[in-house]
Amino acid sequence: MVRDVVRNGRLSEERDEEIARYLSSSWADRWIGEADLLVDMAHVLMLQEQGIIEASHARALLRELVRLYEEGLPEAVFDPDFEDIHAGIESYLTGMIGTEAGGRLHVGRSRNDEVATCLRLRLRDELLALADEVVGLREALISTASDHVTSVMPGFTHMQHAQPTTLAHHLLAYAAAFERDTARLFDAYGRVNRSPLGAAAFASTGYPISRESTAVRLGFSGLLVNSMDAVSARDFALETLAALAVLMTTASRLAEELVIWSSPLVGFVVLDDRYCSTSSIMPQKKNPDTLELLRARSASVSGELVAALGIVKGLPQAYNRDLQQLSPHLWRGVGETRSSVRILKGVVETARFMTERMAAEAGGGGSTATELADRLVREFGLPFRTAHHVVARAVREGRLDADGLEEAGRETGGLSLASRGLDQGWVEQALDPLESVLVRRNPGGPAPEAVEEQRDELASRAARDRDFLAHERRRVDRAIGGLIQAAREVTE
Ligand code: ARG
């Protein structure tokens, strides 16, 4: 077994396994193992450049670090006997190359700035990958919407038929929401991608380190300048979790809607079998389990946020070990969100929308009554409230036809609509759900031309977001590639 080089100076080695496990973050540090190697490489390169350690020591350290990076970390470094991966890797390296070189890895830094840097590095990758998935989901919604610009369906408020709309309009509502969710991820990304390295325990260090150099090598866009803030700040994690929780709320609403639509009572969608389960007793069942689990996972992600907020809120400056307990919440939130977004994209892409069934319901429940009232206003000059009353009364009497409206008009305002030209043909046209959709051409409305405009704008912003992500990915990959190359060159 590799000996823990961190503990054994100050503390006696007697410690039972239960306490060691309770203390250790090794299990959760699998998320940051690779990042830790990169942080070590950047730190050692800088130490050598700054003349803080000798070239021979840097070479010995970098040779092992590059080897571990290429071969993968051995299980030994994740032993819960180590408090964390940082102690694990330093102890492992020291075991391999001896204290003379291994013992110089940690000069001018602390695990406090080290872990904060690792978290940010890994989270940066996760955010780029997740945002990419969200853009994919937006594209799936936009392309499905494109096929359904004239597919009329009922729109609902209070889960009651409200007014006719189109499937395209409905799907683009989600595309718009996911666009804002992406923007929140980008916002978080900008604040995640800053380097705390060099802050050491919290008061920086007296060695002539270069914080700039490690930040640039690791592809960060700048520093978290104040060294106390740098180690203690976890608002980047809270902000990310908040963005994830909101994103998952949008996803959960779409999932919920698809669950409702897939009920035989509604019959608006048939989900692909691969996303469904059956019953162990009821042979006929096809259940939308995947979406139900997504709905529940949205609650879990909100829970991760609440837990993380609770951990941070009572902490004085600077580092407190409580912060270790926050990281698993972050990783669980990131993991659940990423898989959910991926799954949801597949559900949307494979769903069969039952447009005939939607069209049959489009004018149901009196959902064209608003348009009828609007036409009484536009064509016969009635005040809107009077028109609203007349139609409401006809609905209440169950007589939404020319005679019923005539009677309602007389009883409501003592006015004859027939004398102004209202007849059965006029009423039928006013009650046609497609007509109701066609006139709603204001920006953002459901009329085909308005929807096409929304679709084009949403698509061009999705393309813009993809470009940003590709650009950032290239920038980060170039920095990390350069770092590994520089480390290799020292060892040659
Ligand atoms: N495992 C710790 C964490 O995740 C690393 C920092 C430990 N620092 C310390 N002073 N004990 O936060």
Side-chain angles (χ1 to χ4, degrees), residues 355-479:
T355 50
E356 281 182 22
R357 171 81 193 108
M358 288 178 169
E361 283 293 331
S367 70
T368 44
T370 310
E371 181 53 21
L372 182 60
D374 284 342
R375 284 184 186 219
L376 294 178
V377 172
R378 282 201 299 271
E379 296 184 27
F380 304 138
L382 269 57
F384 175 73
R385 187 54 63 216
T386 308
H388 184 268
H389 278 166
V390 169
V391 176
R393 192 169 184 111
V395 169
R396 190 160 135 197
E397 299 299 328
R399 295 181 60 202
L400 207 52
D401 53 20
D403 290 346
L405 285 164
E406 178 63 11
E407 204 172 302
R410 285 185 190 286
E411 283 168 15
T412 306
L415 48 92
S416 164
L417 296 167
S419 70
R420 302 184 187 207
L422 182 141
D423 60 20
Q424 189 55 25
W426 186 95
V427 174
E428 272 160 28
Q429 202 192 4
L431 292 179
D432 180 347
L434 185 59
E435 290 285 326
S436 165
V437 163
L438 292 177
V439 297
R440 287 171 161 67
R441 315 184 263 275
N442 285 309
E449 61 265 44
V451 161
E452 272 160 6
E453 206 174 312
Q454 294 164 55
R455 180 206 51 202
D456 292 347
E457 282 170 7
L458 286 160
S460 90
R461 287 192 298 266
R464 178 204 60 193
D465 288 354
R466 264 216 186 290
D467 284 349
F468 170 76
L469 286 167
H471 173 268
E472 270 311 289
R473 190 70 266 169
R474 273 196 303 276
R475 203 186 59 72
V476 167
D477 288 349
R478 213 178 300 124

Side-chain angles (χ1 to χ4, degrees), residues 92-103:
Y92 182 86
L93 284 176
T94 305
M96 295 301 283
I97 62 177
T99 306
E100 197 46 47

Side-chain angles (χ1 to χ4, degrees), residues 122-366:
R122 177 67 200 255
L123 186 54
R124 177 175 75 185
D125 275 347
E126 289 298 321
L127 281 172
L128 289 177
L130 171 63
D132 210 59
E133 307 276 9
V134 183
V135 176
L137 173 57
R138 283 158 56 191
E139 287 165 346
L141 288 163
I142 292 166
S143 104
T144 311
S146 286
D147 299 336
H148 293 288
V149 171
T150 54
S151 304
V152 286
M153 68 173 296
F156 298 89
T157 60
H158 312 270
M159 278 288 283
Q160 316 282 319
H161 290 72
Q163 292 171 346
T165 184
T166 64
L167 178 56
H169 189 234
H170 201 128
L171 294 175
L172 292 184
Y174 282 106
F178 283 121
E179 182 181 302
R180 292 189 299 277
D181 292 332
T182 315
R184 271 183 280 274
L185 295 177
F186 286 172
D187 246 30
Y189 177 84
R191 277 179 286 270
V192 166
N193 195 27
R194 303 202 147 254
S195 179
L197 199 59
F202 80 89
S204 187
T205 172
Y207 296 100
I209 57 166
S210 167
R211 295 192 64 191
E212 266 309 319
S213 147
T214 47
V216 169
R217 280 223 162 88
L218 290 166
F220 286 115
S221 64
L223 298 179
L224 261 112
V225 177
N226 181 291
S227 62
M228 186 180 280
D229 177 47
V231 296
S232 77
R234 289 294 182 277
D235 51 290
F236 73 91
L238 300 179
E239 179 178 9
T240 299
L241 279 165
L244 298 179
V246 175
L247 162 60
M248 281 299 280
T249 306
T250 312
S252 178
R253 291 182 71 174
L254 175 53
E256 163 75 355
E257 196 132 42
L258 290 169
V259 168
I260 294 169
W261 287 7
S262 72
S263 160
L265 279 174
V266 178
F268 284 1
V269 74
V270 175
L271 300 172
D272 192 272
D273 278 2
R274 80 191 86 172
Y275 296 106
C276 297
S277 300
T278 188
S279 158
S280 61
I281 175 171
M282 297 167 281
Q284 85 285 9
K285 293 285 272 169
K286 175 177 167 181
N287 299 325
D289 293 36
T290 314
L291 293 168
E292 293 169 314
L293 284 164
L294 190 155
R295 209 167 49 185
R297 282 193 165 96
S298 150
S300 305
V301 175
S302 305
E304 310 297 356
L305 167 63
V306 172
L309 287 167
I311 289 169
V312 176
K313 78 168 181 58
L315 298 183
Q317 297 284 355
Y319 181 85
N320 298 274
R321 193 66 178 274
D322 313 45
L323 293 176
Q324 170 175 300
Q325 191 73 4
L326 181 147
S327 308
H329 292 294
L330 178 63
W331 303 133
R332 273 195 295 267
V334 163
E336 300 271 37
T337 305
R338 201 165 147 191
S339 58
S340 298
V341 170
R342 271 187 88 80
I343 292 276
L344 191 53
K345 174 173 177 261
V347 171
V348 169
E349 280 172 339
T350 56
R352 273 193 300 130
F353 292 96
M354 302 287 103
T355 50
E356 281 182 22
R357 171 81 193 108
M358 288 178 169
E361 283 293 331

Side-chain angles (χ1 to χ4, degrees), residues 25 29 83-84 86 110-112 115 234 319-321 323-324 327:
S25 59
D29 289 347
E83 285 195 4
D84 48 39
H86 320 297
S110 150
R111 283 181 294 171
N112 298 352
V115 71
R234 289 294 182 277
Y319 181 85
N320 298 274
R321 193 66 178 274
L323 293 176
Q324 170 175 300
S327 308

